[in-house]
Amino acid sequence: MDERATGTKVRTGGLGAGLIAVCLWGLAPVATRSLVHELAPLPLLTLRQLLAAGVLLPWAVPALRRIDARDLPRFIVAGLLGMVGYNLPVTVGLQWLPASSAGLLLATEPVWVLVIGLVFLGERAGPRVLAGTGIALAGVAVIAGPAALSPGSGTRAVAGAALVLLATLAFGGYMIVLRPLSQKYGPVSATATSSVAGALPYLALVPLPGTAWPPRLSPSAGAELLFLALGSTVAGMLLWNLAIVRGGSATISRLLYLEPVVSVLGALVFLGERATAAVLAGGVLVIAGVLMTTPTSA
């Protein structure tokens, strides 16, 4: 996303667009959790990413027409991190992890951006940021801990949590790799181009002609797939970039703290999940830690 913060007043529609994007993203784990019961992760991702890439292609054309050859590897890496490194582990992990827990774990994304900056970019962090990171990671342990101790399904639940955390780490790398491209080509064109690049590997998973593909889905599963491709991926990205342009990243990015709340509420309403005391306590720690690691000013 575009990192250029503005100190100007939020323009009309900025907060609204940002809220809609956060709601779309927050409901993505809920839809995925439901859909993986009918469609295996790889076919699900293939359909989702190729459909989204086809819709995003017009927004990628401006960047593709003037792309610097030196930026091509960065676009490819960003696409692989975002479309494969993030979406694949999340989709597989949601086979075994409740959507509410996954939504809370995904809230650690800013922490992993910070960790990557510290380890690979030589950035520095003050005591408050380090303490916030520790608190957020403690929240992760609280969320995953009870599952590890439960008999039978504990191993799968821990594996699901580990995959979701791996996805957040990949997304942190995606944000860092994409940042200079957003500044050079514009956030919408850069994000669309990286999304199209990241969808190309999924072409290898399309069955040969004559095979019954795409698979037949129930009406509810088809609606969930369209929501993930067109709602979460396409509309979410475009609305978020519109919000950033109109409201500035410093103001709009704070809306991301609502995303895990939407995930938990969505899981309660649409999937009938029950938020345990451990999940809620861990979620509070995660959000508190993320808040501590986030600058209060642009």
Side-chain angles (χ1 to χ4, degrees), residues 1 13-25 56 59 188 230-247 252 255:
M1 298 299 174
L15 286 175
L19 281 171
I20 294 173
V22 166
C23 288
L24 292 172
W25 290 342
L56 286 170
W59 281 279
V188 173
L230 305 183
S232 179
T233 301
V234 177
M237 183 274 292
L238 295 176
L239 286 168
W240 183 257
N241 280 289
L242 174 64
I244 291 292
V245 170
R246 292 190 172 185
I252 299 301
L255 296 175

Side-chain angles (χ1 to χ4, degrees), residues 46 50 196 198-207:
T46 301
L50 293 181
V196 171
L200 293 178
Y202 291 101
L203 289 173
L205 300 177
V206 176

Side-chain angles (χ1 to χ4, degrees), residues 38-264:
E38 183 169 335
L39 188 61
L42 286 180
L44 189 164
L45 279 174
T46 301
L47 288 168
R48 175 184 178 180
Q49 300 305 330
L50 293 181
L51 180 58
V55 176
L56 286 170
L57 186 58
W59 281 279
V61 170
L64 292 172
R65 285 177 174 174
R66 60 187 182 92
I67 191 171
D68 188 330
R70 293 172 296 181
D71 293 329
L72 185 58
R74 183 178 286 269
F75 270 117
I76 294 174
V77 171
L80 292 176
L81 286 171
M83 300 301 107
V84 180
Y86 174 76
N87 282 303
L88 181 58
V90 167
T91 305
V92 175
L94 276 166
Q95 295 179 107
W96 309 312
L97 191 69
S100 54
S101 298
L104 292 169
L105 293 176
L106 290 172
T108 61
E109 287 167 1
V111 173
W112 300 116
V113 173
L114 170 68
V115 170
I116 292 172
L118 292 173
V119 174
F120 295 102
L121 303 181
E123 297 178 354
R124 296 182 179 181
R128 174 180 170 176
V129 172
L130 294 176
T133 301
I135 291 173
L137 295 180
V140 170
V142 171
I143 293 172
L149 299 176
S150 63
S153 62
T155 302
R156 286 190 172 186
V158 172
L163 285 169
V164 171
L165 288 174
L166 176 64
T168 62
L169 182 61
F171 191 78
Y174 162 79
M175 293 180 65
I176 289 176
V177 173
L178 191 67
R179 188 180 299 165
L181 298 175
S182 294
Q183 294 171 347
K184 184 174 182 179
Y185 296 94
V188 173
S189 292
T191 307
T193 302
S194 65
S195 299
V196 171
L200 293 178
Y202 291 101
L203 289 173
L205 300 177
V206 176
L208 296 174
T211 306
W213 200 87
R216 291 185 178 182
L217 299 173
S218 66
S220 61
E224 289 162 351
L225 178 62
L226 288 176
F227 169 78
L228 289 171
L230 305 183
S232 179
T233 301
V234 177
M237 183 274 292
L238 295 176
L239 286 168
W240 183 257
N241 280 289
L242 174 64
I244 291 292
V245 170
R246 292 190 172 185
S249 61
T251 299
I252 299 301
S253 293
R254 294 189 179 97
L255 296 175
L256 288 172
Y257 301 127
L258 297 175
E259 187 177 339
V261 178
V262 174
S263 295
V264 173

